[in-house]
Structure formats: structure tokens, C-alpha cells
Amino acid sequence: KKFIITNKDTVDFVNADLVIDNYFKMKNINLQMGETYTIFQAEFVHHNGMHYPSKKKPSQFSIWCELYDGKNGFYSQKIR
């Protein structure tokens, strides 16, 4: 299971935290504008060190990031 993520914005997302189901994260990812990334579900880790269960289906995906102008960015999407 994997996510295909494309930054369709006009700015880079810096030090982004990618989050599924509010608790499983990948931290400090840089998503450059116009670029597409493939990220596997198993790469997301809970703060206790557990990887996202392979048989579980995620229901929410979020991105928290810094923008070059010093502001913060946020994106969230329910997964069907």
C-alpha cells in the first residue's frame, strides 16, 4: 500500500510532517513544488516506534509544513 503525493502548489513544503490517522508520521520531509513522491504506508511510524499496520486501511491523511515565507501550511484529506 502506498501514497502518491504531488505538490501542486506554487511553493515548496519544507520540513513537512506527513500524518495518517493522526498518530502515524513521517517527519521533516521536503516536498518541492511540482514534484511527485511515492511513500509506502509502512514508512509511517507511531511515536511508540510501531509502523502503520499493513492490514489496516488509513482514513485520514494530513500534511503540516513550513513555507519559505515563515508561515505554516496545512492540508488534510479523508481517504475513501
Coordinates of all heavy atoms in Angstrom, one line a residue:
K1 N 0.8 -1.2 0.0 CA 0.0 0.0 0.0 C 0.9 1.2 0.0 O 1.9 1.3 0.7 CB -0.9 0.0 1.2 CG -1.9 -1.2 1.2 CD -2.7 -1.2 2.5 CE -3.5 -2.4 2.6 NZ -4.3 -2.5 3.8
K2 N 0.5 2.2 -0.8 CA 1.4 3.4 -1.0 C 0.5 4.6 -1.2 O -0.6 4.5 -1.7 CB 2.4 3.2 -2.0 CG 1.8 3.0 -3.4 CD 2.8 2.6 -4.4 CE 2.2 2.2 -5.7 NZ 3.1 1.8 -6.7
F3 N 1.1 5.8 -1.0 CA 0.5 7.1 -1.3 C 1.3 7.7 -2.5 O 2.6 7.6 -2.5 CB 0.6 8.0 -0.1 CG -0.2 7.6 1.0 CD1 0.3 6.9 2.1 CD2 -1.6 7.9 1.1 CE1 -0.4 6.5 3.2 CE2 -2.3 7.6 2.2 CZ -1.8 6.9 3.2
I4 N 0.7 8.2 -3.4 CA 1.3 9.0 -4.5 C 0.9 10.5 -4.2 O -0.2 10.8 -4.2 CB 0.8 8.6 -5.9 CG1 0.9 7.1 -6.1 CG2 1.5 9.4 -6.9 CD1 2.2 6.6 -6.4
I5 N 2.0 11.3 -3.9 CA 1.7 12.7 -3.4 C 2.4 13.6 -4.4 O 3.5 13.4 -4.8 CB 2.3 12.9 -2.0 CG1 1.7 12.0 -1.0 CG2 2.2 14.4 -1.6 CD1 2.4 11.9 0.3
T6 N 1.6 14.5 -4.9 CA 2.1 15.6 -5.8 C 1.9 16.9 -5.2 O 0.8 17.3 -4.8 CB 1.4 15.5 -7.2 OG1 1.6 14.2 -7.8 CG2 2.0 16.6 -8.2
N7 N 2.9 17.7 -5.1 CA 2.8 19.1 -4.6 C 2.4 20.0 -5.8 O 3.2 20.4 -6.6 CB 4.1 19.6 -4.0 CG 4.0 21.0 -3.5 OD1 3.0 21.7 -3.6 ND2 5.1 21.4 -2.8
K8 N 1.1 20.2 -5.9 CA 0.6 21.1 -7.0 C 0.6 22.5 -6.6 O 0.1 23.3 -7.4 CB -0.8 20.6 -7.4 CG -0.8 19.2 -8.0 CD -2.2 18.8 -8.4 CE -2.2 17.4 -9.0 NZ -3.5 17.0 -9.4
D9 N 1.1 22.9 -5.5 CA 1.1 24.3 -5.1 C 2.3 25.0 -5.8 O 3.1 24.4 -6.5 CB 1.4 24.4 -3.6 CG 0.7 25.6 -2.9 OD1 0.7 26.7 -3.6 OD2 0.2 25.5 -1.8
T10 N 2.4 26.3 -5.6 CA 3.4 27.1 -6.2 C 4.6 27.4 -5.3 O 5.5 28.2 -5.6 CB 2.8 28.5 -6.7 OG1 2.2 29.1 -5.5 CG2 1.7 28.3 -7.7
V11 N 4.6 26.7 -4.2 CA 5.7 26.8 -3.2 C 6.1 25.5 -2.7 O 5.3 24.5 -2.8 CB 5.3 27.7 -2.0 CG1 5.0 29.1 -2.4 CG2 4.1 27.1 -1.2
D12 N 7.4 25.4 -2.3 CA 7.9 24.1 -1.7 C 7.3 24.0 -0.2 O 7.1 25.0 0.4 CB 9.4 24.1 -1.6 CG 10.0 24.1 -2.9 OD1 9.4 23.7 -3.9 OD2 11.2 24.5 -3.0
F13 N 7.1 22.7 0.2 CA 6.7 22.5 1.6 C 7.9 22.0 2.3 O 8.5 20.9 1.9 CB 5.6 21.4 1.6 CG 4.3 21.8 1.0 CD1 3.4 20.9 0.5 CD2 4.0 23.1 0.8 CE1 2.2 21.2 -0.1 CE2 2.8 23.5 0.2 CZ 1.9 22.5 -0.3
V14 N 8.4 22.7 3.3 CA 9.7 22.4 3.9 C 9.4 21.8 5.3 O 8.5 22.2 6.0 CB 10.5 23.7 4.1 CG1 11.8 23.5 4.7 CG2 10.6 24.4 2.7
N15 N 10.3 20.8 5.7 CA 10.2 20.2 7.0 C 8.8 19.7 7.3 O 8.2 19.8 8.4 CB 10.7 21.1 8.1 CG 12.1 21.4 8.0 OD1 12.9 20.6 7.6 ND2 12.5 22.7 8.3
A16 N 8.2 19.1 6.3 CA 6.8 18.7 6.4 C 6.7 17.4 7.2 O 7.5 16.5 7.2 CB 6.2 18.4 5.0
D17 N 5.6 17.3 8.0 CA 5.2 16.1 8.7 C 4.0 15.6 8.0 O 3.0 16.2 7.8 CB 4.8 16.4 10.2 CG 6.0 16.8 11.0 OD1 7.1 16.6 10.6 OD2 5.7 17.2 12.2
L18 N 4.1 14.3 7.5 CA 3.1 13.6 6.8 C 2.4 12.7 7.8 O 3.2 12.0 8.5 CB 3.6 12.8 5.6 CG 4.5 13.6 4.6 CD1 4.9 12.7 3.5 CD2 3.8 14.8 4.1
V19 N 1.1 12.7 7.9 CA 0.4 12.0 9.0 C -0.7 11.2 8.5 O -1.5 11.7 7.7 CB -0.1 13.0 10.1 CG1 -0.7 12.3 11.3 CG2 1.0 14.0 10.5
I20 N -0.9 10.0 8.9 CA -2.1 9.2 8.6 C -2.7 8.8 9.9 O -2.0 8.5 10.9 CB -1.8 8.0 7.7 CG1 -0.7 7.1 8.2 CG2 -1.6 8.4 6.3 CD1 -0.5 5.9 7.3
D21 N -4.0 9.0 9.9 CA -4.9 8.7 11.1 C -4.4 9.4 12.4 O -4.4 8.8 13.5 CB -5.0 7.2 11.3 CG -5.7 6.5 10.2 OD1 -6.3 7.2 9.3 OD2 -5.7 5.3 10.1
N22 N -3.9 10.6 12.3 CA -3.5 11.4 13.4 C -2.3 11.0 14.2 O -1.7 11.8 15.0 CB -4.7 11.7 14.3 CG -5.8 12.4 13.6 OD1 -5.6 13.3 12.9 ND2 -7.0 11.9 13.9
Y23 N -1.9 9.8 14.1 CA -0.8 9.3 15.0 C 0.4 8.7 14.3 O 1.5 8.6 15.0 CB -1.4 8.2 16.0 CG -2.5 8.7 16.8 CD1 -3.8 8.4 16.6 CD2 -2.2 9.5 17.9 CE1 -4.8 8.9 17.4 CE2 -3.2 10.0 18.7 CZ -4.5 9.7 18.5 OH -5.5 10.2 19.3
F24 N 0.3 8.3 13.1 CA 1.5 7.7 12.4 C 2.1 8.8 11.5 O 1.4 9.3 10.6 CB 1.0 6.5 11.6 CG 0.6 5.4 12.5 CD1 -0.7 5.3 13.0 CD2 1.5 4.4 12.9 CE1 -1.1 4.3 13.8 CE2 1.1 3.4 13.7 CZ -0.2 3.3 14.2
K25 N 3.4 9.0 11.6 CA 4.0 10.2 11.0 C 5.3 9.8 10.2 O 6.0 8.9 10.6 CB 4.4 11.3 12.0 CG 3.2 11.8 12.8 CD 3.6 12.9 13.7 CE 2.4 13.4 14.5 NZ 2.8 14.4 15.4
M26 N 5.6 10.7 9.3 CA 6.9 10.8 8.7 C 7.3 12.2 8.9 O 6.5 13.1 8.6 CB 6.9 10.5 7.2 CG 6.7 9.0 6.9 SD 6.8 8.8 5.1 CE 8.5 9.1 4.8
K27 N 8.5 12.5 9.5 CA 8.8 13.9 9.8 C 9.9 14.4 8.9 O 10.8 13.7 8.4 CB 9.3 13.9 11.3 CG 8.2 13.6 12.3 CD 8.7 13.8 13.7 CE 7.5 13.7 14.6 NZ 7.7 14.3 15.9
N28 N 9.9 15.8 8.8 CA 11.0 16.5 8.1 C 11.2 16.1 6.7 O 12.3 16.0 6.2 CB 12.3 16.4 8.9 CG 12.1 17.0 10.3 OD1 11.5 18.0 10.5 ND2 12.7 16.2 11.3
I29 N 10.1 16.0 5.9 CA 10.1 15.7 4.5 C 10.0 17.0 3.7 O 9.2 17.9 4.1 CB 8.9 14.8 4.1 CG1 8.9 13.5 5.0 CG2 8.9 14.4 2.7 CD1 10.1 12.6 4.9
N30 N 10.8 17.2 2.7 CA 10.7 18.4 1.8 C 10.0 18.0 0.6 O 10.4 17.1 -0.2 CB 12.1 18.9 1.5 CG 12.7 19.5 2.8 OD1 12.0 20.1 3.6 ND2 14.0 19.4 2.9
L31 N 8.8 18.6 0.3 CA 8.0 18.4 -0.9 C 8.2 19.6 -1.8 O 7.6 20.6 -1.6 CB 6.6 18.1 -0.5 CG 6.3 17.0 0.5 CD1 4.9 17.0 0.9 CD2 6.7 15.7 -0.1
Q32 N 8.9 19.4 -2.9 CA 9.2 20.5 -3.8 C 8.0 20.7 -4.7 O 7.4 19.7 -5.2 CB 10.5 20.3 -4.6 CG 11.7 20.2 -3.7 CD 12.9 20.0 -4.5 OE1 12.9 19.7 -5.7 NE2 14.1 20.2 -3.9
M33 N 7.7 22.0 -5.1 CA 6.6 22.3 -5.9 C 6.7 21.6 -7.3 O 7.8 21.4 -7.8 CB 6.4 23.8 -6.2 CG 7.5 24.4 -6.9 SD 7.2 26.2 -7.1 CE 8.8 26.8 -7.6
G34 N 5.6 21.0 -7.7 CA 5.6 20.3 -9.0 C 6.1 18.9 -9.0 O 6.0 18.1 -10.0
E35 N 6.7 18.4 -7.8 CA 7.3 17.1 -7.8 C 6.3 16.1 -7.3 O 5.4 16.4 -6.5 CB 8.5 17.1 -6.8 CG 9.7 17.9 -7.4 CD 10.3 17.3 -8.6 OE1 10.5 16.1 -8.7 OE2 10.6 18.1 -9.5
T36 N 6.4 14.8 -7.7 CA 5.6 13.7 -7.2 C 6.4 12.7 -6.4 O 7.6 12.4 -6.8 CB 4.9 13.0 -8.4 OG1 4.1 14.0 -9.1 CG2 4.1 11.8 -8.0
Y37 N 5.8 12.2 -5.3 CA 6.5 11.3 -4.4 C 5.7 10.1 -4.2 O 4.5 10.1 -4.1 CB 6.8 12.0 -3.1 CG 7.6 13.3 -3.2 CD1 6.9 14.5 -3.5 CD2 9.0 13.3 -3.2 CE1 7.7 15.7 -3.7 CE2 9.7 14.4 -3.3 CZ 9.0 15.6 -3.6 OH 9.8 16.8 -3.7
T38 N 6.4 8.9 -4.1 CA 5.7 7.7 -3.7 C 6.2 7.3 -2.3 O 7.4 7.2 -2.0 CB 6.1 6.5 -4.7 OG1 5.6 6.9 -6.0 CG2 5.4 5.3 -4.2
I39 N 5.2 7.2 -1.4 CA 5.5 6.9 0.0 C 4.7 5.7 0.4 O 3.5 5.7 0.3 CB 5.3 8.1 0.9 CG1 6.1 9.3 0.5 CG2 5.6 7.7 2.4 CD1 5.8 10.6 1.2
F40 N 5.4 4.7 1.0 CA 4.7 3.5 1.4 C 4.1 3.6 2.8 O 4.7 4.2 3.6 CB 5.7 2.3 1.3 CG 6.0 1.9 -0.1 CD1 7.1 2.5 -0.7 CD2 5.2 1.1 -0.9 CE1 7.4 2.2 -2.1 CE2 5.5 0.8 -2.2 CZ 6.6 1.3 -2.8
Q41 N 3.0 3.0 2.9 CA 2.2 3.1 4.2 C 3.1 2.7 5.4 O 3.0 3.2 6.5 CB 1.0 2.3 4.1 CG 0.0 2.3 5.2 CD -1.2 1.5 4.9 OE1 -1.9 1.8 4.0 NE2 -1.6 0.6 5.8
A42 N 3.9 1.6 5.2 CA 4.7 1.1 6.3 C 5.8 2.1 6.7 O 6.4 1.9 7.8 CB 5.3 -0.2 5.8
E43 N 6.1 3.1 6.0 CA 7.1 4.1 6.4 C 6.6 5.1 7.5 O 7.4 5.7 8.1 CB 7.5 5.0 5.2 CG 8.2 4.1 4.1 CD 8.6 5.0 2.9 OE1 9.6 5.8 3.1 OE2 8.0 4.8 1.9
F44 N 5.3 5.1 7.7 CA 4.7 5.9 8.8 C 4.8 5.2 10.1 O 4.5 4.1 10.3 CB 3.2 6.2 8.5 CG 3.0 7.1 7.3 CD1 3.1 6.6 6.0 CD2 2.8 8.5 7.5 CE1 2.9 7.4 4.9 CE2 2.6 9.3 6.4 CZ 2.7 8.8 5.1
V45 N 5.3 6.0 11.1 CA 5.6 5.4 12.4 C 4.9 6.2 13.5 O 4.9 7.4 13.5 CB 7.2 5.5 12.7 CG1 7.5 4.9 14.0 CG2 7.9 4.8 11.5
H46 N 4.4 5.4 14.5 CA 3.8 6.0 15.7 C 4.9 6.4 16.6 O 6.0 5.9 16.5 CB 2.9 4.9 16.3 CG 2.0 5.3 17.4 ND1 2.4 5.5 18.7 CD2 0.7 5.7 17.4 CE1 1.4 5.9 19.5 NE2 0.4 6.0 18.7
H47 N 4.6 7.3 17.6 CA 5.6 7.8 18.5 C 6.2 6.7 19.4 O 7.3 6.8 19.9 CB 5.1 9.0 19.4 CG 4.1 8.6 20.3 ND1 4.4 8.1 21.6 CD2 2.7 8.6 20.3 CE1 3.3 7.8 22.2 NE2 2.2 8.1 21.4
N48 N 5.5 5.6 19.5 CA 6.0 4.4 20.3 C 6.9 3.5 19.4 O 7.3 2.5 19.9 CB 4.8 3.6 20.9 CG 4.0 2.9 19.9 OD1 4.3 2.9 18.7 ND2 2.9 2.4 20.3
G49 N 7.1 3.8 18.2 CA 8.0 3.1 17.3 C 7.3 2.1 16.4 O 8.0 1.5 15.5
M50 N 6.0 1.9 16.6 CA 5.3 0.9 15.7 C 5.0 1.5 14.4 O 4.5 2.6 14.2 CB 3.9 0.6 16.4 CG 3.2 -0.5 15.7 SD 1.7 -1.0 16.7 CE 0.5 0.1 16.0
H51 N 5.2 0.7 13.3 CA 4.9 1.1 12.0 C 3.4 0.9 11.7 O 2.8 0.1 12.4 CB 5.7 0.3 11.0 CG 7.2 0.7 11.0 ND1 7.7 1.6 10.1 CD2 8.2 0.2 11.7 CE1 9.0 1.7 10.4 NE2 9.3 0.9 11.4
Y52 N 2.9 1.7 10.7 CA 1.5 1.6 10.5 C 1.1 0.1 10.0 O 1.8 -0.4 9.2 CB 1.1 2.5 9.3 CG -0.4 2.8 9.3 CD1 -1.0 3.7 10.1 CD2 -1.2 2.0 8.4 CE1 -2.4 3.9 10.0 CE2 -2.6 2.2 8.4 CZ -3.2 3.1 9.2 OH -4.5 3.3 9.1
P53 N 0.1 -0.5 10.6 CA -0.2 -1.9 10.3 C -0.5 -2.1 8.9 O -1.3 -1.3 8.3 CB -1.4 -2.2 11.2 CG -1.4 -1.1 12.3 CD -0.8 0.1 11.7
S54 N 0.1 -3.1 8.3 CA -0.1 -3.3 6.8 C -1.5 -3.7 6.4 O -2.0 -3.5 5.3 CB 0.9 -4.4 6.4 OG 0.6 -5.6 7.0
K55 N -2.3 -4.3 7.4 CA -3.6 -4.7 7.0 C -4.7 -3.7 7.3 O -5.9 -3.9 7.0 CB -4.0 -6.0 7.8 CG -3.1 -7.2 7.3 CD -3.5 -8.5 7.9 CE -2.6 -9.6 7.4 NZ -3.0 -10.9 7.9
K56 N -4.3 -2.6 8.0 CA -5.2 -1.5 8.3 C -5.3 -0.5 7.1 O -4.4 -0.2 6.5 CB -4.8 -0.8 9.6 CG -5.7 0.2 10.1 CD -5.3 0.8 11.4 CE -6.4 1.8 11.8 NZ -6.0 2.4 13.1
K57 N -6.6 0.0 6.9 CA -6.8 0.9 5.9 C -6.8 2.3 6.5 O -7.7 2.6 7.4 CB -8.1 0.7 5.1 CG -8.3 1.6 4.0 CD -9.6 1.3 3.3 CE -9.7 2.3 2.1 NZ -10.9 2.9 1.9
P58 N -6.0 3.3 6.1 CA -6.0 4.6 6.6 C -7.3 5.3 6.3 O -7.9 5.1 5.2 CB -4.8 5.3 5.9 CG -4.0 4.2 5.2 CD -4.9 3.1 5.1
S59 N -7.7 6.2 7.2 CA -8.9 7.0 6.9 C -8.7 8.5 6.8 O -9.5 9.2 6.3 CB -9.9 6.8 8.0 OG -9.4 7.2 9.3
Q60 N -7.5 9.0 7.2 CA -7.2 10.4 7.1 C -5.7 10.6 6.7 O -4.8 9.9 7.3 CB -7.5 11.0 8.5 CG -7.3 12.5 8.5 CD -8.5 13.3 7.9 OE1 -9.6 12.8 7.9 NE2 -8.2 14.4 7.3
F61 N -5.4 11.6 5.9 CA -4.0 11.9 5.5 C -3.9 13.4 5.7 O -4.7 14.2 5.3 CB -3.8 11.6 4.0 CG -2.4 12.0 3.6 CD1 -1.3 11.2 3.9 CD2 -2.2 13.1 2.9 CE1 0.0 11.6 3.5 CE2 -1.0 13.5 2.4 CZ 0.1 12.8 2.8
S62 N -2.8 13.9 6.4 CA -2.6 15.3 6.6 C -1.1 15.6 6.3 O -0.2 14.8 6.5 CB -2.9 15.6 8.0 OG -4.2 15.3 8.4
I63 N -0.9 16.9 6.0 CA 0.4 17.5 5.8 C 0.5 18.7 6.7 O -0.3 19.6 6.5 CB 0.8 17.8 4.4 CG1 0.7 16.5 3.5 CG2 2.2 18.5 4.3 CD1 0.9 16.8 2.0
W64 N 1.5 18.8 7.5 CA 1.8 20.1 8.3 C 3.2 20.5 7.8 O 4.1 19.6 7.7 CB 1.9 19.8 9.8 CG 0.6 19.3 10.4 CD1 0.1 18.0 10.4 CD2 -0.4 20.1 11.0 NE1 -1.1 18.0 11.0 CE2 -1.4 19.2 11.4 CE3 -0.5 21.4 11.3 CZ2 -2.6 19.6 12.1 CZ3 -1.6 21.9 12.0 CH2 -2.7 21.0 12.3
C65 N 3.4 21.8 7.4 CA 4.7 22.1 6.9 C 5.0 23.6 7.2 O 4.2 24.4 7.6 CB 4.7 21.9 5.4 SG 3.6 22.9 4.5
E66 N 6.3 23.9 6.9 CA 6.7 25.3 6.9 C 6.8 25.8 5.5 O 7.1 25.0 4.6 CB 8.1 25.4 7.5 CG 8.3 25.0 8.9 CD 9.7 24.9 9.4 OE1 10.6 25.6 8.8 OE2 10.0 24.3 10.4
L67 N 6.5 27.0 5.3 CA 6.6 27.7 4.0 C 7.8 28.6 4.0 O 8.2 29.1 5.1 CB 5.3 28.4 3.6 CG 4.1 27.5 3.6 CD1 2.8 28.4 3.4 CD2 4.2 26.4 2.6
Y68 N 8.4 28.9 2.9 CA 9.6 29.7 2.9 C 9.4 31.1 3.4 O 10.3 31.8 3.8 CB 10.2 29.8 1.4 CG 11.0 28.6 1.1 CD1 10.6 27.8 0.0 CD2 12.1 28.2 1.8 CE1 11.4 26.6 -0.3 CE2 12.8 27.1 1.5 CZ 12.4 26.3 0.5 OH 13.1 25.2 0.2
D69 N 8.1 31.6 3.4 CA 7.9 33.0 3.9 C 7.7 33.0 5.4 O 7.4 34.0 6.0 CB 6.6 33.6 3.2 CG 5.4 32.8 3.5 OD1 5.4 31.8 4.3 OD2 4.3 33.1 2.9
G70 N 8.0 31.9 6.1 CA 7.9 31.8 7.5 C 6.6 31.4 8.1 O 6.4 31.1 9.3
K71 N 5.6 31.2 7.2 CA 4.3 30.8 7.6 C 4.2 29.3 7.7 O 5.1 28.6 7.2 CB 3.2 31.4 6.7 CG 3.1 32.9 6.7 CD 2.0 33.4 5.8 CE 2.0 34.9 5.8 NZ 1.0 35.4 4.9
N72 N 3.1 28.8 8.2 CA 2.9 27.3 8.3 C 1.8 27.0 7.3 O 0.9 27.7 7.0 CB 2.5 26.9 9.7 CG 3.6 27.0 10.7 OD1 4.8 26.7 10.3 ND2 3.4 27.5 11.8
G73 N 1.9 25.8 6.8 CA 0.9 25.3 5.8 C 0.2 24.0 6.4 O 0.9 23.3 7.2
F74 N -1.0 23.7 6.0 CA -1.7 22.5 6.4 C -2.6 22.0 5.3 O -3.2 22.8 4.6 CB -2.5 22.8 7.6 CG -3.4 21.7 8.1 CD1 -2.9 20.6 8.7 CD2 -4.8 21.7 7.9 CE1 -3.7 19.5 9.1 CE2 -5.6 20.7 8.3 CZ -5.0 19.6 8.9
Y75 N -2.6 20.7 5.1 CA -3.5 20.1 4.2 C -4.1 18.8 4.8 O -3.3 18.1 5.5 CB -2.8 19.7 2.9 CG -3.6 18.8 1.9 CD1 -4.5 19.4 1.1 CD2 -3.4 17.5 2.0 CE1 -5.2 18.6 0.2 CE2 -4.2 16.6 1.1 CZ -5.1 17.2 0.2 OH -5.8 16.4 -0.6
S76 N -5.4 18.5 4.6 CA -5.9 17.3 5.2 C -7.0 16.7 4.2 O -7.7 17.5 3.6 CB -6.6 17.6 6.5 OG -7.0 16.4 7.1
Q77 N -7.0 15.4 4.1 CA -7.9 14.8 3.2 C -8.4 13.4 3.8 O -7.6 12.6 4.3 CB -7.2 14.5 1.9 CG -8.0 13.7 0.8 CD -9.1 14.6 0.2 OE1 -8.8 15.7 -0.1 NE2 -10.3 14.1 0.1
K78 N -9.7 13.2 3.8 CA -10.2 11.9 4.2 C -9.9 10.9 3.1 O -9.9 11.3 1.9 CB -11.7 12.0 4.4 CG -12.1 12.7 5.7 CD -13.5 12.4 6.1 CE -13.9 13.2 7.3 NZ -13.5 12.5 8.5
I79 N -9.6 9.7 3.4 CA -9.3 8.6 2.5 C -10.5 7.7 2.4 O -11.0 7.2 3.4 CB -8.0 7.9 2.9 CG1 -6.8 8.8 3.0 CG2 -7.7 6.8 1.9 CD1 -5.6 8.2 3.7
R80 N -10.9 7.4 1.2 CA -12.0 6.5 1.0 C -11.6 5.1 0.7 O -10.6 4.8 0.2 CB -12.9 7.0 -0.2 CG -13.4 8.4 0.0 CD -14.1 8.9 -1.2 NE -14.2 10.3 -1.1 CZ -14.9 11.1 -1.9 NH1 -15.4 10.5 -3.0 NH2 -14.9 12.3 -1.8

